[in-house]
Amino acid sequence: MKHLIVTLLFISLCPLSVFAGNGHELWLRYVGVGKAEVSVNKKGETLKISKTELLNFWQGGKVKLQVKRSNAHPDSYTITGNTTSGIVITSPSEQGVLYGTYHLLRLQSTNSVDGELNITEAPSYDLRILNHWDNLDRTVERGYAGHSIWMWDELPEKISPRYHEYARANASIGINATVLNNVNATPQVLSHSMLEKVKVIADELRPYHVKVFLSINFSSPAELGKLPTSDPLNKQVAEWWQKKADEIYKLIPDFGGFLVKANSEGLPGPQDFGRTHADGANMLADALKPHGGIVMWRAFVYNPSKEDRAKQAYNEFMPLDGKFRDNVIIQVKNGPIDFQPREPFNPLFGGMQKTAVMPELQITQEYLGFSNHLVFLASMWHEFLTSDTYCSGEGSTVAKTTDGSLFPHSVGSAIAGVANIGEDENWTGHHFAQANWYSFGRLAWDATLTPDEIADEWIRQTFGNSEELVKPVKKLMLESYETLVSYMMPLGLHHIFAWNHHYGPEPWTAIEGARPDWLPSYYHNADSVGLGFDRTETGSDAVVQYFSPLKEIFNNISTCPEKFILWFHHVNWTYKMKNGRTMWNELCYQYDSGVKDMRELQKIWDSCESYVDAERFRQVQSLLKIQMRDAVWWKDACLLYFQTFSKMPIPYDIERPIHELDDLKKIKLDLKHHN
Amino acid sequence: MKHLIVTLLFISLCPLSVFAGNGHELWLRYVGVGKAEVSVNKKGETLKISKTELLNFWQGGKVKLQVKRSNAHPDSYTITGNTTSGIVITSPSEQGVLYGTYHLLRLQSTNSVDGELNITEAPSYDLRILNHWDNLDRTVERGYAGHSIWMWDELPEKISPRYHEYARANASIGINATVLNNVNATPQVLSHSMLEKVKVIADELRPYHVKVFLSINFSSPAELGKLPTSDPLNKQVAEWWQKKADEIYKLIPDFGGFLVKANSEGLPGPQDFGRTHADGANMLADALKPHGGIVMWRAFVYNPSKEDRAKQAYNEFMPLDGKFRDNVIIQVKNGPIDFQPREPFNPLFGGMQKTAVMPELQITQEYLGFSNHLVFLASMWHEFLTSDTYCSGEGSTVAKTTDGSLFPHSVGSAIAGVANIGEDENWTGHHFAQANWYSFGRLAWDATLTPDEIADEWIRQTFGNSEELVKPVKKLMLESYETLVSYMMPLGLHHIFAWNHHYGPEPWTAIEGARPDWLPSYYHNADSVGLGFDRTETGSDAVVQYFSPLKEIFNNISTCPEKFILWFHHVNWTYKMKNGRTMWNELCYQYDSGVKDMRELQKIWDSCESYVDAERFRQVQSLLKIQMRDAVWWKDACLLYFQTFSKMPIPYDIERPIHELDDLKKIKLDLKHHN
């Protein structure tokens, strides 16, 4: 009997068994017990983690870990040798060794340890950072996986095991920084008592080389410091920030810096005092500079003016190019609007050349079905990163404009992802949303990875190496993005979401007194003639913000890629598409293909039933049902609504609507920002 | 201006325009103004109607209407001649001429007046009767087209125009009788004040030769007459009924007689006094006999006993065969259970030979999606009427056992249909439910008509003769019945409906203390072994009630038609069907084909958009959406529920469920018996 109890205890302590089906262990499902012999050439917290991971999980014999000074990127590493004679991981830094360690374990998990290894890796971006939109009350703006993992109430006394798990997961994919709180920041985050809590988290993350940043509220000097103003050119204000910086760095010597959303969607900023974004950013940059901190200043700004919202960030920031301190990076969302299912890249990429620019991607699916819809975002981000800006001739991809290849800046390169992490057992709500966290890390490390490569390694680590599983699940993931775009917003449609919560379709929304640029009609412009936003030179002329030949390509309806045709053009319902269909018919077929493809994705997942543990299988199956119903909802809502303008029949060979437009208009979901 | 008003008035008085889209005129949409010259050889109310109809609507010149004594069936008629020399309609009776008149107008509406006419028609059944399940408070049991058209409150003073319209519609398809009130009858229907109202309706219907009957409550002598008993062998009771009959016939000299539901589902009957059904029926028959009235005695009886419900009517009535008066007809529902989507015929057909038996069909769709689902019931009734009972060797169809060909009885032959009529503008709720009223009349007149023939003439009269419309709509109608069976209850499944309202699926229903024979599990018997009701000789032995070779065919799982396999057998989940699939897989594919076919039916209707007036098009389109959603609901509910027994996967190549079983179990519809 005693023996039995011991066995049970052992099992319950073993994370592999405990988390078999709930997904808590993410992609770190190392199977089997380590049979390793590990040597290190140095002492250090981070190196110790590498050693422990290998001792626990590496089954390939001897490994030598060595930190060796070199001119290579500090995060870079090499892996050489083989499982017979032993393997060597070398890096200029402890964290580089750690990244190499996880690389080696990934090779093991994906059955890819084969013969002589000769791997050299260096990151695409220096700073690979998560942005948490977590509020101090633990709600998460646009969070769909439960409340925040940061337990402010319990801190600094109690330390959740999640902090360490979080750091490990990030380190395993090369993420090296995090902004703990929402860009819609409250001044209170900089109070001393809060900073003491932040310090504890920073201490927890440090061994994994994950640096802590904070979002700040530009009115902090007035609101927290009780100064009469927060004017960035006011000396007292600048001093307040300098003192605050000193206070922070005393607690957290390797504190990363500030992320700032200013003069955007009602938040305070330098323009409140007649100053520019540069004035604001530079004042903060000066305060952080002595400590080695940086400012990430967001370019997500727009006003309810007559100017096309898509043009405003560019118009605002281009004149300031070159006017920022060298420890400022301008953080720009991938598209000119706001994390829509599909957008062309923001023209600030390639446009701003004298100032460092970093992409902001959204991992959390604010506009992509929350944690209900399965969509593999590596596809979207790959499309974005490989988009050609033509800023320095052909091949000037967005990646190259931001990773330092085309425009090196002393502050280094950076890329941010708005986290989809919450306190749900599986971290991200949907098991497949873990793949988006994973993909962000992997692309930030290596922007040249393809969605196929990323999906392949994620599936093998997360679900196993059975080809019967890997092949269909990869197909499911790789097709998921186009499928979602098709059933939500094909052909360049954008922002026709339900008011406020951005979940379902509401192309019809008309709220008395609402800002026009917050209403779907602002974006779709449906009328008796056609559909879409005229951004050509005879329209809002947003195309002028792009380099030639892109501007001409977008400007001309016959050369504009059809996936963006309704983004750049107000297209006649009867306009003939490249396949010969009218625009209206093509719109119908696009929505229908989204629905049809979703049905196929459902089939693919169900067919994997015997290769996946029951718990994860059922949860994903259940969510795919919701997604399937939502796909039909989207299709019916958009087609039936736009039909009231096109006055043309939905082609009779496609699956018919099953809803009434009037019923759909009555749907009002009560969705909070956090689950 | 005055001219305009006159024109508008004219239009608003013209029924063709007024009712263009609401369907109120049913299949009597005579287009154009009559150009006829009509002569009659006799005076008479009914003949006058024929003449007026032709003068109003016949565009083919001279018509001679003549009543001529003959030995032919009184309702029979001939149509001879051509549109050049003139047409002659001859019948032994005025109503025969009327039927011939509507026949001629039907030929005109269906573009079938062609060359020399030489038509002779006589009805399959003498009595072609509607059963209204209308209560005196104007609710309608199992009615889905609004309240009752019988305005009892207003009668006898006020006469609704509906009575005359109703009579005309019935006459146009040969229906010659109606039972005004619910078989679950209240004694009050026989009160004198009620009879005075009934008389008014009878007077309204008489010119169209539609005879009035009433459903009676067997306890009327006690409850209405205040007698100490309603024992049929009690002399006072018999006298009470005789007096009541006298009273009725004084008001309504051509009163048809009584329809009786006795000792069934809680209603009183002769068995309450230790008497038989024959004792009860004969006593009533004796009271009606002097006046020429008849008794239609329902065989729909079953008790919560150990005996298979499907066997009980047969067991109860077969011993009484030959013991009924010659003015009694036993009214038997088509199947042994209760108007299920598909049942084998009730073995009393062919079984009872010495007593007249009449089929009771249900036009109202109690178990077939109410007035929401489009299902063309001619298909079901054709299958039923042509079923071979083998009672007098091969070819002894149900029709022949009841229409007098095999077993002639002096009372004549009869067939009843439970009406789907209510006060909705279009009479039947669903525009296509009119086709079921129409089909009942047409099949009662000519049991050899095919669903194709009936659909063809109904569509042409109701929607027009355009081939672009007739062809697809006919396909839609002809496929609708199999489609409904597939998504509701394929393979012989039956009675797995929601408790009480019988609309949606509830195969799981388990209500504490409920009669087992009112619960779905009584019928489906799902368990770990398989599914279905074992009615073989080693089971309930219901098969024994059928004639050879049918009894052996049904008894043997390998010869039993698969459409009835779960009706007669408890079939293993892994039983190999004729196509090689397991029973479980076949069940899945059947449900899936129901859903797939519904999607096709939706497409067909939508493709007819330009051939149908907008009002009817949209209503049908809207209902098809509901039906489509219901089909998926049925499929998901039944497959997910039965899967908890089969423990086998739903074949991965079929459309996946989009619902969760637990969610479906929570659905509780608040459906009244009337709309």
Side-chain angles (χ1 to χ4, degrees), chain A residues 394-415:
Chain A
E394 206 176 330
S396 308
T397 62
V398 167
K400 287 188 186 165
T401 68
T402 51
D403 67 6
S405 343
L406 284 173
F407 313 113
H409 297 282
S410 61
V411 67
S413 62
I415 187 167

Side-chain angles (χ1 to χ4, degrees), chain A residues 606 625 629 656 658-659, chain B residues 606 625 629 656 658-659:
Chain A
D606 277 9
K625 290 177 177 180
R629 298 199 299 267
R656 313 314 297 162
I658 59 166
H659 299 104
Chain B
D606 276 8
K625 289 177 179 179
R629 298 198 299 266
R656 315 314 298 164
I658 59 166
H659 300 104

Side-chain angles (χ1 to χ4, degrees), chain B residues 548-581:
Chain B
S548 289
L550 215 46
K551 105 173 65 171
E552 292 79 12
I553 289 171
F554 288 153
N555 189 60
N556 183 338
I557 191 168
S558 67
T559 57
C560 181
E562 290 190 346
K563 66 182 176 181
F564 295 133
I565 199 164
L566 301 178
W567 183 284
F568 286 112
H569 299 269
H570 189 66
V571 184
N572 279 22
W573 296 112
T574 55
Y575 173 80
K576 207 166 198 175
M577 306 290 284
K578 291 195 175 70
N579 60 17
R581 289 180 185 145

Side-chain angles (χ1 to χ4, degrees), chain B residues 109 119 172 191 214 223 336 358 497 502 584:
Chain B
S109 296
I119 294 164
S172 77
S191 67
L214 290 175
E223 294 203 27
M358 64 187 284
F497 289 95
H502 300 162
W584 165 249

Side-chain angles (χ1 to χ4, degrees), chain A residues 599 602-603 606-607 609 621-622 625 628-629 640 649 652-660, chain B residues 599 602-603 606-607 609 621-622 625 628-629 640 649 652-660:
Chain A
R599 293 206 195 287
Q602 257 198 308
K603 285 182 192 171
D606 277 9
S607 74
E609 185 165 4
Q621 182 185 50
S622 180
K625 290 177 177 180
M628 186 68 242
R629 298 199 299 267
L640 293 173
Y652 297 120
D653 59 341
I654 72 174
E655 191 176 308
R656 313 314 297 162
I658 59 166
H659 299 104
E660 297 295 334
Chain B
R599 294 206 195 287
Q602 256 198 309
K603 285 182 194 173
D606 276 8
S607 74
E609 185 165 5
Q621 182 185 51
S622 180
K625 289 177 179 179
M628 187 67 243
R629 298 198 299 266
L640 292 174
Y652 297 120
D653 59 339
I654 71 175
E655 191 177 306
R656 315 314 298 164
I658 59 166
H659 300 104
E660 296 295 333

Side-chain angles (χ1 to χ4, degrees), chain B residues 232-298:
Chain B
L233 299 196
N234 177 292
K235 212 184 148 196
Q236 270 189 296
V237 169
E239 280 171 8
W240 186 89
W241 282 109
Q242 283 157 23
K243 276 189 196 144
K244 187 50 76 179
D246 296 344
E247 180 189 344
I248 295 170
Y249 279 92
K250 210 167 164 189
L251 291 164
I252 311 162
D254 60 351
F255 181 73
F258 297 146
L259 171 61
V260 192
K261 175 176 181 178
N263 293 123
S264 167
E265 298 184 320
L267 282 179
Q271 293 177 336
D272 303 344
F273 313 97
R275 317 302 180 190
T276 69
H277 283 287
D279 294 331
N282 291 343
M283 181 272 295
L284 292 173
D286 290 342
L288 294 167
K289 181 79 176 179
H291 308 284
I294 67 167
V295 171
M296 294 169 294
W297 191 271
R298 291 173 92 240

Side-chain angles (χ1 to χ4, degrees), chain A residues 86-140:
Chain A
I87 283 166
V88 183
I89 303 177
T90 312
S91 170
S93 69
E94 284 193 55
Q95 74 268 21
V97 171
L98 185 62
Y99 299 145
T101 297
Y102 285 117
H103 189 138
L104 186 63
L105 288 170
R106 180 168 69 240
L107 293 179
Q108 174 177 274
S109 296
T110 57
N111 279 354
S112 313
V113 184
D114 198 18
E116 195 68 23
L117 297 177
N118 197 354
I119 294 163
T120 301
E121 289 259 338
S124 292
Y125 291 92
D126 301 317
L127 191 67
R128 306 171 294 278
I129 187 167
L130 288 180
N131 287 184
H132 286 265
W133 285 0
D134 296 17
N135 300 311
L136 301 190
D137 64 0
R138 296 192 57 237
T139 59
V140 181

